[in-house]
Amino acid sequence: MDLGLDGRTVIVTGASGGIGREVARGFAAEGADVVLTYRSSPEEAGQVAKEIGEHALVVPYELGDLDSARAVVSAALDWTGRIDVLVNNALFTWGWEPGESFDKVEEDAWREMVRRNVEGYLELSRLVTPGMRERRFGRLVHISSGLVDEGMAGAEYYTTAKAAVHGFSRSAAFSLGRDGDILSNVVLPGLTATARNEERIEPFSQRYINLSAVGRLLDAREVANAVVYLGSAANTGITGQTISVTGGV
């Protein structure tokens, strides 16, 4: 299938590792020019860019910082003159410990988590949308978490931020779709195996494997495949949706 990504410009936030890395690789494999953003891992982002070659641009990005978001968009436009796809994948979790009782989390910590994760996604979406409207083409893909549906003690503020993005994407789809072939969707991964998280997720893995229809955890590349399709020109009618990519959990 021709995904119609050759020559398109894609921004992938949080592209230095995990799902973001595989998303960047996936778009590049389809001929797209990929802007890879990172927060604290320039070496890893540089390695991904080296693998991709001349079709990659590495840019630092601080989620929830408007000036940083503007710099990413400016860098992309200076590079290719266009932005066709935005994948909001970056995540801010500093100051939060999984399992911590929500009423005991420090005020500054939970407020910053919610603010950055919500505002960061909305800021970049707002910045890329005018160009998409002008060209009458664009794709927004927001990476969320299966915890929004499943729930987990200690993840209250994380899931609050992610759920807010669901609401934005759903309504934005109706606004954007009236101005061209512009689509907005949310991808909802479950517990996903990545090169970074193997040890951290091990205590939870078997529970998810037992619940999975395919009897295993999905890996980052499998989630990325769905993201790339939703962000492609081959997707002409899926918008305003939340797509679970969980192996059937």
Side-chain angles (χ1 to χ4, degrees):
M1 179 184 292
D2 181 4
L3 297 185
L5 286 165
D6 190 44
R8 305 277 190 190
T9 299
V10 182
I11 295 175
V12 181
T13 67
S16 62
I19 292 172
R21 175 185 295 176
E22 296 303 328
V23 169
R25 287 171 170 164
F27 276 109
E30 295 296 330
D33 296 313
V34 186
V35 179
L36 305 93
T37 84
Y38 69 91
R39 180 182 186 273
S40 58
S41 303
E43 297 84 4
E44 292 185 7
Q47 180 58 42
V48 180
K50 184 177 179 180
E51 294 172 9
I52 292 173
E54 63 181 0
H55 293 286
L57 177 69
V58 177
V59 183
Y61 173 54
E62 188 72 41
L63 185 68
D65 183 295
L66 181 55
D67 287 339
S68 183
R70 287 171 173 157
V72 171
V73 171
S74 179
L77 293 175
D78 288 346
W79 185 38
T80 66
R82 59 191 295 164
I83 298 170
D84 300 284
V85 183
L86 168 64
V87 179
N88 271 318
N89 172 70
L91 173 66
F92 181 84
T93 59
W94 300 108
W96 171 66
E97 291 294 333
E100 189 174 7
S101 180
F102 74 89
D103 53 315
K104 295 182 180 178
V105 177
E106 294 292 332
E107 289 285 335
D108 289 346
W110 77 260
R111 289 180 186 276
E112 193 69 353
M113 173 180 282
V114 173
R115 184 193 71 78
R116 289 206 187 199
N117 286 303
V118 175
E119 291 183 8
Y121 280 32
L122 271 59
E123 283 167 355
L124 275 177
S125 299
R126 285 169 51 85
L127 289 169
V128 302
T129 292
M132 292 179 175
R133 291 188 195 274
E134 183 178 342
R135 289 187 301 278
R136 299 187 63 78
F137 179 90
R139 301 287 184 267
L140 304 179
V141 185
H142 313 282
I143 309 303
S144 183
S145 168
L147 291 176
V148 172
D149 288 341
E150 298 164 22
M152 186 181 81
E156 293 84 359
Y157 302 116
Y158 174 73
T159 52
T160 293
K162 289 298 188 183
V165 175
H166 292 206
F168 168 75
S169 179
R170 175 68 177 170
S171 291
F174 286 87
S175 171
L176 297 169
R178 309 297 171 88
D179 290 333
D181 182 12
I182 310 174
L183 313 178
S184 178
N185 289 289
V186 172
V187 168
L188 202 72
L191 189 66
T192 303
T194 73
R196 283 183 172 179
N197 70 3
E198 185 176 354
E199 291 186 7
R200 182 165 54 85
I201 70 172
E202 197 278 331
F204 314 102
S205 295
Q206 194 57 53
R207 172 177 174 268
Y208 279 84
I209 290 170
N210 293 341
L211 293 171
S212 171
V214 297
R216 61 179 177 82
L217 298 182
L218 299 189
D219 62 30
R221 185 172 300 180
E222 290 173 297
V223 176
N225 288 342
V227 175
V228 172
Y229 175 76
L230 290 171
S232 75
N235 171 27
T236 59
I238 302 173
T239 192
Q241 303 303 305
T242 298
I243 308 297
S244 293
V245 187
T246 63
V249 175

